[in-house]
Amino acid sequence: MNSIIKQTVMALRSSILVFLLLVSVLMKAQQQPSIIPKPVDLKMGNGYFTIDGNTAIQYKKSQKDLKATADFFASYIKNISGFSLKSNKAAAKKVEFVIEKDIQEEGYQLNVSPTAIVIKASSPKGIFYGIQSILQTLPAIRTNAALEVPVMQVNDYPRFKWRGMHLDVSRHFFGPEMIKEYIDLMASYKINVFHWHLVDDQGWRIEIKKYPKLTEIGAWRVDNINLNWRERPQAKEGEKPTYGGFYTQDQIKEIVKYAADRNITIVPEIEMPGHVASAIASYPQLSCTQQPQLPLTGGNYTNMSSNYCAGNEEVFSFLQDVLSEVLILFPSTYIHLGGDEVDKAPWKKCPRCQARMKAEGLKDEDELQSYFMKRMEKFIISNNRKMIGWDEILEGGLAPEAAVMSWRGEAGGIEAAKMKHNVVMTPGSPCYFDHYQAGPEGEPFAIGGFNTVKKVYDYEPIPKELNAEDEKYVLGAQGNVWTEFITTTEHLEYMVLPRMAALAEVIWSPKENKNWDNFNERLQYHFKGYGQKGLRYSPGNFTVNIKPSSQNGQLLVNLYSEALNGEIRYTTDGTEPTLQSEKYEQPIAIKSSLVLKASTVVDGQIKGVQAAKQNFVMHKAIGSSVKYTNPVSEYYLADGPNSLTDGVRGGNATGKYWHGFSGNDMIATVDLGETKPIKNISLGFLQNYGSWIFLPQSVKFEVSTDGTVFTEIKTINNPIDINQKTVLYDFSAAFTQQKVRYIRVTAKNNLCPPGHSGAGKSGWLFVDEIIAD
């Protein structure tokens, strides 16, 4: 009897094990791999294809252009496993590359079965992208584990042609090996354009044989690393350079080939006509003043020449010579000629520039810049290439065939697309990866701004202002990395990972396929890979987003965390949240002045360096509606139209809780909903010199009971020096108490002051809370 029971138990155990194994197999079959960017279509099967020593790569010998792709795949497999995959040899299992011309350009079809992997594409580019999808299913580093690729069918192709990443190597120089690492990261996410910013004020980084001083002098500077970039004084005569570097032409050729083997086109940027103090330090005769100077040491431009002289013929001969060597090194269709942030003040004083304007019939210096860029474009076109530049090249008239890279928001890109010019979208928000992505407490120091991974992921490169015909001119989008404050490889890695992955999905995957939660889940696998490879990366933004909303006098606060599976704990008494603090489940009503703090909790642990904090100040304008005579910039909308009356004061961060105005005065009318006794009104402003944000020239306060007839209370002229770097200042008017329903505030916009890189141009007005008591 015991024997029968024992046999029954054993049979039952065996059945349970078989059942569990079957469930495990089914679960594996249902679990999709964490491929980024998400493929257009992916169907999972059962089982795996195992790569081992009996696997060979196969392709038609006549298709010799597949050899580099096959070598790339074989090298990767050997690095992580030790297996040497032979090409076009008999083997039990195969990885086959097939060229079929009817597949969409850069697209691929991937079929993984237990016995074979077949990648079909119309060119080696598509084959390469299919390989990248396979590699994302394998270990990131050398391992003894089996190399298992899940059985699946993938049909995939990119949404945009231009899928770009930029890197500034002028402010801080990164050697050839780091450039290759950057290219490898790009390739892993199917990014196909590397915009290499080789020239700027603080360093000339490309060898030009005809002009050796460009790298002998222009590539080296005094580096005051103990000072903030913007506050570093200009070097004095006799000071020896302490920092620099450049790429030889042989190094550039090697890097260009390295990128090409990974289907990445390098677009070089040779900046002009501004941002060229490094060239002028090397050859002073190229500036308007022709005075000797040293290369810039940081962001301080005082008494420095940073423009080429547009009236000097030698400048154009020099630039054509430079570009002739550049064109030999870089086979890209596009050559980037900069064109941004040109300080035109020297041109206004220069007799040669003024003579050029008169001879060419140019009405102003904007048209002089247009003349400069159009002339250089003719040279580029004569060499069968195309010019691309920053959106300032629209000023004074766009060169006939130029493409525009829109960085000051999307307005320049929209304008260019409507003019039927190609456009690459790269607005500072959210495409500048030198901005903070979390914190900023606990984060590496950044130039400012706040572009989280989710903000990048939510970006849509096709502006709603474009119709179906015009949107065809949007080539794609690009992430930009400026390196004023990025000095090391580790810091650079941290700033681009994982935002590069988020942008890759924006510009590759169909818009309708995007899903933040799903992306966030897949990203966790990539975090593991980054860690295994020793790459430094941001684990995400754990800072709780505190978003107030006001309506009809009621102030509510919504809390949000980007963290996967994160919950939020908060307090309203100013104490630090703990695991026992109130759990956020619905909007919080704010009925009195208080300090709210909130933290993200993941897996039972509070994440982040410190809790998010927001002071709420109750006053008689809380929740009131606000109407602007001139519209708020779409790029600085804070938390909506009533942000001026939500009880929240803006801080030093330029993008949060502020309404921004460019070129226009701010005229705001506040409806208190009913007449209330008021005796004091104030409005806060931000000044951030480096970001072109200045306090207003003056602020006028007016009140009314009917919204039609207004009485002026006071006009206050700006008492603060416009050259101060960062200022938070309240313009306040105290008066004898009276009954008021409507408040109108007019703030006169300011111009960038003399000596500023935008001297004479309209600055930004940043306004925050209107307080009425």
Side-chain angles (χ1 to χ4, degrees):
M1 190 69 175
N2 289 339
S3 177
I4 293 174
I5 293 174
K6 187 175 182 179
Q7 289 177 2
T8 302
V9 171
M10 291 180 66
L12 182 60
R13 285 178 176 174
S14 179
S15 298
I16 291 173
L17 287 173
V18 170
F19 174 75
L20 291 175
L21 181 62
L22 179 61
V23 170
S24 176
V25 170
L26 289 173
M27 287 180 67
K28 281 188 174 182
Q30 293 170 353
Q31 184 177 356
Q32 292 196 353
S34 299
I35 298 174
I36 297 175
K38 188 175 184 179
V40 174
D41 183 63
L42 187 156
K43 293 182 175 64
M44 300 302 298
N46 296 324
Y48 293 86
F49 175 90
T50 303
I51 300 173
D52 55 28
N54 295 316
T55 306
I57 303 170
Q58 296 184 357
Y59 58 92
K60 289 183 179 180
K61 293 182 179 179
S62 59
Q63 296 171 337
K64 296 180 180 179
D65 52 355
L66 284 175
K67 184 180 184 306
T69 306
D71 289 346
F72 173 86
F73 182 65
S75 176
Y76 190 97
I77 296 302
K78 186 169 185 178
N79 286 339
I80 64 171
S81 69
F83 296 131
S84 296
L85 306 187
K86 305 298 183 183
S87 292
N88 293 324
K89 300 291 184 181
K93 292 178 289 186
K94 67 177 181 179
V95 178
E96 185 177 9
F97 304 154
V98 180
I99 298 296
E100 288 191 0
K101 295 300 182 184
D102 59 345
I103 297 175
Q104 182 171 327
E105 175 65 16
E106 293 193 288
Y108 64 93
Q109 295 173 359
L110 169 62
N111 191 324
V112 181
S113 71
T115 58
I117 295 176
V118 180
I119 307 175
K120 297 180 180 180
S122 61
S123 72
K125 290 181 180 180
I127 300 291
F128 183 84
Y129 295 138
I131 287 173
Q132 291 301 329
S133 292
I134 292 171
L135 298 184
Q136 288 192 21
T137 70
L138 298 176
I141 58 173
R142 183 100 181 202
T143 177
N144 293 323
L147 301 184
E148 293 182 332
V149 182
V151 169
M152 57 183 168
Q153 289 184 325
V154 178
N155 180 36
D156 201 11
Y157 49 84
R159 182 183 177 196
F160 291 103
K161 295 179 180 179
W162 188 297
R163 305 181 301 279
M165 280 297 299
H166 154 286
L167 180 61
D168 161 28
V169 295
S170 174
R171 272 60 172 231
H172 282 97
F173 178 72
F174 295 91
E177 291 309 309
M178 181 57 215
I179 300 302
K180 290 178 181 179
E181 178 189 312
Y182 200 75
I183 288 168
D184 283 335
L185 288 172
M186 292 171 56
S188 69
Y189 290 119
K190 304 181 177 75
I191 293 172
N192 67 343
V193 178
F194 175 35
H195 174 179
W196 203 359
H197 188 81
L198 291 161
V199 172
D200 215 302
D201 290 308
Q202 293 84 5
W204 185 286
R205 305 297 180 205
I206 175 173
E207 178 189 20
I208 301 298
K209 293 185 181 297
K210 188 167 183 178
Y211 298 100
K213 289 183 181 179
L214 289 171
T215 46
E216 291 173 0
I217 297 174
W220 307 92
R221 67 168 186 256
V222 174
D223 201 38
N224 296 297
I225 59 175
N226 59 315
L227 298 175
N228 182 288
W229 176 264
R230 297 189 181 101
E231 297 172 358
R232 296 180 182 182
Q234 179 54 24
K236 299 180 177 64
E237 192 66 38
E239 281 190 281
K240 293 184 178 180
T242 57
Y243 180 88
F246 63 93
Y247 308 98
T248 67
Q249 293 198 2
D250 286 341
Q251 287 174 326
I252 288 174
K253 290 174 185 176
E254 180 186 352
I255 291 170
V256 168
K257 183 183 184 304
Y258 189 89
D261 287 345
R262 289 151 181 77
N263 290 299
I264 291 173
T265 298
I266 299 182
V267 174
E269 181 177 356
I270 307 300
E271 184 74 72
M272 64 184 74
H275 279 291
V276 291
S278 57
I280 292 168
S282 307
Y283 297 97
Q285 70 270 25
L286 301 175
S287 72
C288 291
T289 64
Q290 299 190 343
Q291 296 299 311
Q293 65 183 43
L294 296 173
L296 280 179
T297 58
N300 193 331
Y301 291 78
T302 305
N303 299 320
M304 294 293 298
S305 293
S306 59
N307 294 353
Y308 292 123
C309 177
N312 184 353
E313 275 302 305
E314 184 181 350
V315 166
F316 295 97
S317 299
F318 165 82
L319 288 173
Q320 289 179 10
D321 290 340
V322 167
L323 289 173
S324 293
E325 294 191 33
V326 169
L327 294 172
I328 293 172
L329 295 170
F330 297 95
S332 56
T333 298
Y334 282 100
I335 304 296
H336 203 299
L337 299 188
D340 62 310
E341 297 180 331
V342 180
D343 178 7
K344 301 184 178 75
W347 289 355
K348 294 178 181 180
K349 302 174 184 176
C350 175
R352 284 173 298 179
C353 288
Q354 294 303 308
R356 174 82 72 188
M357 289 171 59
K358 184 176 181 181
E360 299 292 338
L362 308 175
K363 67 180 182 181
D364 57 25
E365 285 71 22
D366 283 347
E367 289 194 0
L368 181 59
Q369 176 173 332
S370 177
Y371 163 85
F372 194 112
M373 301 309 288
K374 287 177 180 178
R375 184 165 171 179
M376 296 313 303
E377 186 197 40
K378 286 180 181 179
F379 178 77
I380 294 292
I381 292 173
S382 71
N383 284 273
N384 299 312
R385 307 295 184 90
K386 296 180 180 180
M387 182 186 102
I388 186 169
W390 302 108
D391 55 57
E392 285 95 331
I393 66 173
L394 285 157
E395 297 170 3
L398 187 58
E401 299 180 35
V404 171
M405 193 166 276
S406 190
W407 73 279
R408 296 180 300 175
E410 294 180 330
I414 293 167
E415 181 182 351
K418 289 182 176 180
M419 295 166 63
K420 313 305 180 189
H421 284 254
N422 286 336
V423 170
V424 176
M425 288 297 186
T426 181
S429 176
C431 292
Y432 271 38
F433 293 175
D434 54 334
H435 291 190
Y436 287 107
Q437 57 191 317
E441 294 79 9
E443 289 288 290
F445 193 75
I447 196 168
F450 198 67
N451 289 331
T452 69
V453 177
K454 187 175 188 301
K455 190 174 180 181
V456 174
Y457 189 80
D458 289 343
Y459 179 56
E460 169 49 44
I462 302 293
K464 61 182 181 299
E465 292 86 350
L466 297 181
N467 60 35
E469 179 61 30
D470 293 337
E471 71 179 35
K472 295 176 183 178
Y473 291 93
V474 178
L475 298 178
Q478 175 175 289
N480 290 346
V481 184
W482 302 98
T483 62
E484 286 93 334
F485 300 98
I486 301 174
T487 62
T488 65
T489 294
E490 292 76 16
H491 193 173
L492 176 59
E493 292 169 351
Y494 189 91
M495 300 306 279
V496 300
L497 297 176
R499 288 188 284 195
M500 182 189 289
L503 181 65
E505 189 145 310
V506 169
I507 49 187
W508 177 283
S509 304
K511 181 180 178 181
E512 58 273 15
N513 278 16
K514 287 174 58 184
N515 179 285
W516 164 252
D517 290 334
N518 178 262
F519 171 79
N520 208 351
E521 290 175 0
R522 284 179 283 127
L523 191 57
Q524 307 310 305
Y525 175 84
H526 291 253
F527 284 165
K528 182 179 178 181
Y530 299 156
Q532 290 173 337
K533 291 179 179 178
L535 298 171
R536 192 172 179 220
Y537 66 96
S538 170
N541 174 34
F542 296 111
T543 304
V544 175
N545 182 12
I546 301 175
K547 188 170 184 179
S549 61
S550 58
Q551 190 173 6
N552 299 324
Q554 177 62 61
L555 181 60
L556 296 175
V557 175
N558 295 275
L559 305 181
Y560 175 79
S561 174
E562 293 183 10
L564 183 66
N565 301 322
E567 65 177 35
I568 298 172
R569 299 283 175 169
Y570 72 94
T571 63
T572 56
D573 60 1
T575 60
E576 291 298 308
T578 67
L579 296 177
Q580 287 72 45
S581 297
E582 192 78 17
K583 181 180 179 180
Y584 174 76
E585 295 179 319
Q586 61 185 12
I588 305 164
I590 306 294
K591 298 180 179 180
S592 62
S593 297
L594 55 82
V595 178
L596 185 148
K597 290 187 176 182
S599 294
T600 297
V601 176
V602 178
D603 296 331
Q605 292 184 326
I606 290 181
K607 296 289 187 178
V609 176
Q610 65 183 56
K613 174 183 175 182
Q614 185 59 61
N615 295 326
F616 289 94
V617 180
M618 298 301 291
H619 53 84
K620 292 178 181 179
I622 283 284
S624 300
S625 65
V626 180
K627 291 184 179 180
Y628 288 114
T629 302
N630 297 318
V632 184
S633 167
E634 63 179 302
Y635 307 110
Y636 297 104
L637 295 172
D639 286 316
N642 290 339
S643 284
L644 286 196
T645 58
D646 62 6
V648 175
R649 301 301 309 274
N652 286 332
T654 58
K656 198 173 184 181
Y657 302 130
W658 294 97
H659 276 179
F661 297 82
S662 178
N664 293 316
D665 297 339
M666 187 227 68
I667 307 173
T669 302
V670 180
D671 182 357
L672 301 180
E674 61 184 15
T675 56
K676 298 179 180 180
I678 302 294
K679 60 180 180 180
N680 189 78
I681 306 169
S682 69
L683 177 58
F685 292 85
L686 170 69
Q687 179 161 299
N688 188 312
Y689 185 93
S691 298
W692 295 38
I693 302 168
F694 299 98
L695 298 180
Q697 297 179 44
S698 63
V699 175
K700 180 170 68 174
F701 294 98
E702 300 171 281
V703 297
S704 172
T705 56
D706 60 7
T708 301
V709 178
F710 282 83
T711 302
E712 180 179 341
I713 295 296
K714 192 174 185 180
T715 295
I716 305 169
N717 293 323
N718 178 20
I720 305 297
D721 182 359
I722 197 171
N723 292 299
Q724 284 195 38
K725 301 303 180 184
T726 304
V727 180
L728 289 169
Y729 187 77
D730 290 344
F731 286 75
S732 299
F735 51 97
T736 302
Q737 182 172 289
Q738 57 183 284
K739 290 187 176 181
V740 172
R741 175 167 177 175
Y742 297 92
I743 298 171
R744 186 164 67 193
V745 185
T746 302
K748 298 288 290 182
N749 210 327
N750 229 323
L751 299 177
C752 298
H756 188 273
S757 58
K761 294 183 179 180
S762 294
W764 282 85
L765 276 176
F766 268 41
V767 302
D768 74 338
E769 192 79 354
I770 290 179
I771 296 177
D773 290 307

